[in-house]
Amino acid sequence: MLQEVFMKSYDAIIIGFGKGGKTLAGYMAKQGKRVAMIEKSNQMYGGTCINEGCIPSKSLIIQADKQSYGQAVERKEALIEKLRKKNFDKLDSLELVDVITAKASFVSDHEVHVQGAGVDETLYGDYIFLNTGSVSNIPNIKGIHEARHIYTSAEMMKERSLPAKLAIIGGGYIGLEFSSMYARYGSTVTVFEHGSRLVKREDQDVADEIQKVLEKQGVGFVFESSVKEFANEGEQVVITYDDAHGIQQKLTVDAVLLAAGRSANTKQLHLENTGVKLDQRGNVIVNEYLQTSVPHIYAMGDVKGGLQFTYISLDDYRIVKDHLFGNKQRTTKNRGHIAYSVFISPTFSRVGLSEQEAREQGYAVKTVSMPAAAIPRANVISQPDGLLKAVIDTKTDQILGCVLFCAESEEVINFVQLAMNQRLTYQEVGNHIFTHPTMSEALNDLFS
């Protein structure tokens, strides 16, 4: 006699407790849908931003001029534990949401196997949402897996002792943010960059200004370098590298931070058991509504590639929500210009095209720029370093792009983003009445 096997069935299975996934879980439960929220680690409720990304790093950055490093790490840990619990409780308290702490892997397009402490079963989902984020890239360098004191950014922020000498592999945005932070705590920081300059997607004058400010903070740079090997000498790390002339050099440090970018976190999902397709870089391929090649499976956040920001994951939720419950008008193609900020000191913020990108796309442009030292507020708060730059379309007077490398730019850039999305001319922004003395009023001068 055959025994009938009953499988738990859900309206939605969400894999990954990040911003888009957790927000969608709460909304769907309020619509009367039964939801399984699967998260592989009890240390990741709330997602990467809260536990390993934006919140812990910004907490440490903000405290860099106020606390010792050890005290800052303790306060950071207390903060993320509080936020992690708050995120868990918010979903776990919902009657229609089951929070399952286990590893998830696909059995088929509708079936997901979950395995963890006290959990080993297969679930069925009418809809499935991938929100598994990204993981740090580990370069293929000799000794990288054997040598001690080599960290990803998430691991580095959990260390309670400040390295006297720190090497950072990679001069991208993550590397620069951490270089500024650790230099301000008192570490001697050396950044190894394979290219001949910093942040290639930025204009040369902007990259030069970032380098100048960071060097003023005590950060050293080794350009056109190729790191060959890591090895321990006692409790230190010896880095063997080729310099710009191909000559082998060595540097001894107390810790190494790997900042070689991030990749989609899909390896353990067994997507080969589904029809979900990946691109050459391993990102989940989606359409403008964030559907994968299997229409009832969606992907949100870093796992699909593109800009890796929490607020993108949140807007991905809005797109999915509208596609499932709304009028299907929101897409990735109509969310407008997206700004981003890199929290070096001062903060680097940008929206739209660089001068180089605008010219390459055929625009006739003019550029305007000014030093941050010309802003009254910057001098009042004793943060005069930096540069402001805007790119203008000479035919339409529209703002094509803007860089704000100055204190509080993470707030001011949102005004510029809104102005661009509303298609205001640069004159309209330049004539706007701002309060005084604020960093925002710098836009009066920049767009004058």
Side-chain angles (χ1 to χ4, degrees):
M1 184 175 181
L2 293 175
Q3 183 178 0
E4 190 172 0
V5 177
F6 292 96
M7 185 184 301
K8 282 187 182 176
S9 181
Y10 292 89
D11 296 302
I13 294 175
I14 300 173
I15 306 174
F17 209 132
K19 186 69 172 181
K22 68 182 182 184
T23 313
L24 181 64
Y27 180 82
M28 292 190 79
K30 289 177 182 177
Q31 306 309 305
K33 305 298 183 183
R34 187 160 179 76
V35 180
M37 165 58 75
I38 306 170
E39 173 52 57
K40 68 178 181 179
S41 170
N42 61 9
Q43 297 299 298
M44 290 298 290
Y45 300 137
T48 298
C49 176
I50 285 173
N51 296 286
E52 296 183 346
C54 325
I55 299 301
S57 63
K58 303 315 169 281
S59 174
L60 290 176
I61 288 166
I62 289 169
Q63 296 181 77
D65 300 317
K66 304 171 186 176
Q67 303 277 353
S68 70
Y69 183 70
Q71 290 174 318
V73 172
E74 287 182 10
R75 290 189 64 180
K76 179 263 296 181
E77 286 295 318
L79 172 63
I80 62 176
E81 285 176 15
K82 174 184 173 184
L83 293 176
R84 185 187 302 135
K85 183 179 186 305
K86 183 178 178 182
N87 273 267
F88 175 80
D89 291 344
K90 188 173 182 179
L91 282 190
D92 192 53
S93 64
L94 298 177
E95 185 178 348
L96 291 177
V97 177
D98 290 340
V99 178
I100 302 170
T101 306
K103 290 183 179 179
S105 59
F106 279 90
V107 178
S108 70
D109 285 341
H110 278 284
E111 296 170 305
V112 176
H113 185 73
V114 289
Q115 187 169 21
V119 180
D120 189 355
E121 60 184 326
T122 299
L123 312 177
Y124 179 95
D126 289 335
Y127 288 92
I128 301 176
F129 303 90
L130 301 177
N131 189 220
T132 51
S134 59
V135 293
S136 295
N137 292 332
I138 307 300
N140 185 22
I141 299 172
K142 185 178 179 181
I144 198 166
H145 298 291
E146 294 77 27
R148 303 184 308 280
H149 310 305
I150 298 178
Y151 306 100
T152 64
S153 58
E155 294 166 343
M156 189 80 198
M157 289 188 289
K158 294 175 183 175
E159 291 295 306
R160 294 183 181 269
S161 60
L162 181 73
K165 294 182 179 180
L166 172 66
I168 298 178
I169 311 302
Y173 297 125
I174 295 175
L176 297 184
E177 192 169 279
F178 277 77
S179 74
S180 176
M181 176 178 76
Y182 279 97
R184 287 163 60 218
Y185 276 112
S187 294
T188 299
V189 180
T190 304
V191 176
F192 288 86
E193 168 54 43
H194 189 70
S196 59
R197 49 162 282 193
L198 299 178
V199 287
K200 288 184 179 178
R201 67 171 299 186
E202 310 300 342
D203 293 326
Q204 184 71 56
D205 55 346
V206 174
D208 289 344
E209 185 69 17
I210 292 172
Q211 183 178 339
K212 184 179 80 172
V213 169
L214 289 177
E215 286 177 339
K216 182 179 175 182
Q217 293 175 12
V219 179
F221 296 94
V222 184
F223 291 104
E224 298 181 79
S225 58
S226 179
V227 177
K228 299 296 184 183
E229 184 178 1
F230 298 116
N232 289 124
E233 193 173 271
E235 289 302 310
Q236 293 186 302
V237 184
V238 179
I239 303 171
T240 302
Y241 67 97
D242 290 345
D243 66 15
H245 305 289
I247 299 172
Q248 190 175 95
Q249 308 282 358
K250 291 182 184 292
L251 178 69
T252 301
V253 297
D254 299 294
V256 175
L257 170 63
L258 304 177
R262 297 178 68 86
S263 300
N265 183 19
T266 60
K267 287 185 179 179
Q268 297 180 342
L269 291 175
H270 292 297
L271 289 172
E272 66 274 11
N273 294 331
T274 72
V276 174
K277 291 183 169 58
L278 308 179
D279 66 17
Q280 290 182 336
R281 302 185 68 179
N283 301 312
V284 177
I285 298 172
V286 295
N287 64 14
E288 62 188 300
Y289 301 105
L290 304 179
Q291 290 172 294
T292 68
S293 44
V294 179
H296 67 266
I297 301 178
Y298 293 70
M300 300 181 291
D302 296 359
V303 75
K304 69 185 191 313
L307 295 173
Q308 296 182 343
F309 300 116
T310 296
Y311 46 88
I312 296 297
S313 187
L314 178 62
D315 198 60
D316 287 350
Y317 148 75
R318 298 186 188 111
I319 292 171
V320 171
K321 170 189 166 185
D322 183 62
H323 194 239
L324 294 176
F325 300 98
N327 56 19
K328 296 179 172 56
Q329 295 301 304
R330 289 192 69 111
T331 76
T332 55
K333 294 181 179 180
N334 61 20
R335 57 178 156 200
H337 296 284
I338 297 169
Y340 60 86
S341 294
V342 182
F343 288 80
I344 52 183
S345 183
T347 310
F348 172 84
S349 301
R350 177 179 153 187
V351 63
L353 302 175
S354 67
E355 177 183 358
Q356 179 180 336
E357 289 170 342
R359 294 188 188 283
E360 288 174 352
Q361 292 184 24
Y363 287 99
V365 304
K366 62 180 175 182
T367 63
V368 290
S369 62
M370 61 180 283
I375 307 170
R377 169 77 177 180
N379 292 285
V380 168
I381 61 177
S382 301
Q383 296 186 54
D385 289 335
L387 169 76
L388 291 74
K389 180 179 180 179
V391 183
I392 310 296
D393 185 341
T394 57
K395 293 181 180 178
T396 64
D397 288 340
Q398 297 286 308
I399 303 168
L400 296 175
C402 184
V403 162
L404 304 177
F405 180 37
C406 61
E408 301 174 15
S409 70
E410 67 273 19
E411 299 289 351
V412 182
I413 199 68
N414 292 304
F415 180 90
V416 181
Q417 176 194 25
L418 182 62
M420 291 173 65
N421 284 335
Q422 295 301 312
R423 300 193 61 79
L424 300 183
T425 64
Y426 81 89
Q427 295 99 329
E428 289 173 302
V429 175
N431 289 326
H432 183 77
I433 301 174
F434 294 94
T435 54
H436 171 81
T438 61
M439 294 300 290
S440 297
E441 67 178 337
L443 300 179
N444 287 144
D445 293 327
L446 183 65
F447 292 109
S448 63

